[in-house]
Amino acid sequence: MTKEKFWHPNINDEISGMFIEKVENVGEYNSSLYKIQNDEEIINIWGKKQLDSLMNLVTIGDKIILKYVGTEEVNEHQMKKFELEILNE
């Protein structure tokens, strides 16, 4: 059985793998939860506004690289920022 973990990235951390599932309306804030599988594990990533927009470009089965690049001030709040690369040919 493949183990699962949640991603708690530091700036410039990245993960790569296959996008295998999106679960919607999860938790206290009805967030999206994205699941990326690599060779060792399934990594769960909580959706954020900017990340949700990026992940709308991805289809189940796509191989991706997701990089956390830090935060940006938006309306007096810190918004987490990500970069996405889709590796499919």
Side-chain angles (χ1 to χ4, degrees):
M1 185 170 186
T2 305
K3 70 176 185 171
E4 293 193 29
K5 72 174 191 178
F6 281 87
W7 193 38
H8 302 286
N10 294 310
I11 293 175
N12 293 321
D13 283 353
E14 64 181 38
I15 58 171
S16 61
M18 182 181 296
F19 176 49
I20 61 167
E21 185 178 5
K22 176 183 178 181
V23 183
E24 297 184 85
N25 300 316
V26 179
E28 179 179 351
Y29 302 106
N30 295 316
S31 299
S32 294
L33 183 65
Y34 302 99
K35 295 180 179 250
I36 311 297
Q37 183 169 10
N38 62 27
D39 292 336
E40 298 94 37
E41 60 200 354
I42 294 172
I43 303 159
N44 295 292
I45 306 160
W46 286 110
K48 306 282 184 225
K49 184 173 182 139
Q50 190 257 345
L51 178 59
D52 291 339
S53 294
L54 288 176
M55 293 302 288
N56 282 331
L57 304 172
V58 181
T59 303
I60 299 293
D62 283 349
K63 293 179 183 174
I64 66 169
I65 298 174
L66 188 63
K67 181 177 182 179
Y68 174 60
V69 294
T71 60
E72 179 179 299
E73 182 89 16
V74 177
N75 297 329
E76 299 180 19
H77 297 285
Q78 293 294 317
M79 181 176 78
K80 290 187 174 184
K81 301 277 292 180
F82 297 86
E83 292 177 352
L84 171 70
E85 182 178 352
I86 302 172
L87 300 175
N88 297 348
E89 290 82 49

